[in-house]
Amino acid sequence: MIISAQQRLLTLSCGSQINVNPTPLRRDDDNSPWCYTFSVSPVIIDDDVRSSTLPPRANFLATQVWPSSRIASTIIEQYLDPSWKVCELGCGPGLPSLTAAMKGSEVIATDLDECALEMVEAAAREQGFLIDQRFQTQQFDLTSRQNVLPDVDLYVMSDVFESSNVAESAAYHVQSILSKNSNSQSKRRVWVFAQSDRAQRETFLDVMREAYDETLEWSLNQNPDLDSELWLLTWTKLQSNTIEENLCRRNRNEMFEVG
C-alpha cells in the first residue's frame, strides 16, 4: 500500500539525495504494488525547493517504469505461482519484482545500476517485503558471461535489449538457465517481455534460434503456459495501454469474484 503518493527525497548510500515518486501498477488502487521512479521535478520540503540529479554513472533509463514493465507486472500479478522463487534481470525500478513479492514469492531483483537497486530496496522496505530476507537485491551485469545467476523457478526480463551486446548476452544467460532443466527435477522458466519496436529484440531472437530452437517466435498470446520453460511476449506500442487495461480489469474481476 502506498503510504503517500507525494514526491519525496530518497537518500542513497553514497550520500546523494534524489527526488522520487511512488509509482503504482494501478493508479486507482491503494492496495496496488508500487515502485519508486526518479523525478527531475523539484520537491518542496518545509517551503524549501530541492532539486536533484542522479549520481555519476547512474542510468536514467534504469530509474523509470516502461510499458513492458507494467505489462510484465500485470501478468505476474495474475498468473504467478506464489511458490515460485523469482529473479528479475535488468530490474530497473523493479515493479515486476515488487509485484511478485506482493504475491508472496521470494524475489531477487538484479541490475547493474546501483541507484536503481537502492530505489527497489527502499520501495520493498516500505511495503514490508524485506522481512526474513524474502526480498533481495543483487548487482548483476547482464553483459558479463562470467557472472552466475541465482537458481530460481522463474526469471523475468522486460525490455532490457538496449544494445546488441545486451541482447546477445541476455540470450546467452537464457540458454544457460534452460540448459539446467535437462539435468534437474525442478523446472526453470524464463518470461521475456519486449515491445515490437525494440530493434535489438530481434538480435536476441536470432541468437536464441541458432542455439535453442530455430522455430522460436515472439508470441501475442497474453496467457502464459505455466508448464513451458520459455515464453516470449510482444505487442505493439499502440496495443500496450489496451493490454494493460484489459489485464488489470481481468485481475480486478477475479479478485471481486474471490471476495
Side-chain angles (χ1 to χ4, degrees):
M1 182 175 181
I2 298 179
I3 297 175
S4 170
Q6 291 184 338
Q7 187 180 111
R8 63 195 70 179
L9 280 174
L10 178 65
T11 302
L12 304 176
S13 60
C14 64
S16 298
Q17 289 187 315
I18 60 173
N19 300 344
V20 293
N21 287 321
T23 304
L25 175 59
R26 292 181 303 279
R27 296 175 180 85
D28 59 347
D29 183 356
D30 287 342
N31 294 313
S32 169
W34 59 273
C35 66
Y36 278 132
T37 54
F38 171 73
S39 174
V40 295
S41 301
V43 60
I44 301 176
I45 299 178
D46 297 329
D47 297 325
D48 181 19
V49 179
R50 304 186 190 182
S51 300
S52 71
T53 57
L54 287 171
R57 294 182 294 182
N59 182 0
F60 174 78
L61 297 178
T63 67
Q64 303 300 301
V65 173
W66 303 100
S68 60
S69 179
R70 288 190 170 278
I71 290 176
S73 301
T74 306
I75 287 175
I76 285 171
E77 185 176 54
Q78 181 168 1
Y79 293 105
L80 177 66
D81 184 335
S83 69
W84 292 354
K85 190 171 183 178
V86 178
C87 175
E88 184 179 6
L89 308 179
C91 67
L95 187 57
S97 291
L98 294 158
T99 302
M102 183 164 280
K103 286 277 291 184
S105 291
E106 292 186 48
V107 177
I108 303 174
T110 72
D111 203 290
L112 178 62
D113 193 285
E114 294 179 351
C115 179
L117 291 177
E118 290 199 47
M119 290 167 56
V120 176
E121 186 169 339
R125 180 179 297 107
E126 287 203 40
Q127 292 172 86
F129 299 150
L130 298 186
I131 300 173
D132 298 330
Q133 295 186 326
R134 293 186 61 83
F135 192 103
Q136 301 176 50
T137 59
Q138 178 179 317
Q139 190 173 29
F140 184 87
D141 183 357
L142 197 56
T143 64
S144 172
R145 304 190 182 189
Q146 306 302 316
N147 292 342
V148 178
L149 284 166
D151 192 17
V152 300
D153 302 293
L154 175 66
Y155 299 83
V156 176
M157 289 189 288
S158 59
D159 268 350
V160 299
F161 310 132
E162 62 184 34
S163 69
S164 59
N165 186 26
V166 173
E168 292 171 1
S169 298
Y172 168 82
H173 287 295
V174 171
Q175 294 165 42
S176 298
I177 291 165
L178 299 181
S179 67
K180 298 177 183 178
N181 284 339
S182 60
N183 299 316
S184 175
Q185 293 182 345
S186 59
K187 176 179 285 188
R188 298 159 185 84
R189 303 162 181 84
V190 180
W191 291 357
V192 184
F193 303 85
Q195 196 164 288
S196 62
D197 60 355
R198 303 300 190 255
Q200 298 303 332
R201 73 178 198 139
E202 294 309 312
T203 301
F204 169 82
L205 184 63
D206 289 342
V207 176
M208 289 298 299
R209 281 174 173 168
E210 183 177 347
Y212 177 73
D213 181 354
E214 63 182 12
T215 67
L216 197 62
E217 295 285 354
W218 292 98
S219 173
L220 296 173
N221 184 358
Q222 298 153 29
N223 302 319
D225 179 357
L226 302 185
D227 291 325
S228 177
E229 66 177 15
L230 179 62
W231 181 44
L232 311 181
L233 179 65
T234 192
W235 58 91
T236 67
K237 186 175 182 180
L238 291 175
Q239 290 174 315
S240 62
N241 287 338
T242 301
I243 292 173
E244 184 184 345
E245 289 170 3
N246 289 341
L247 288 168
C248 284
R249 188 180 303 112
R250 190 187 308 169
N251 286 355
R252 282 195 295 266
N253 289 342
E254 290 183 358
M255 286 186 287
F256 178 78
E257 290 172 3
V258 171

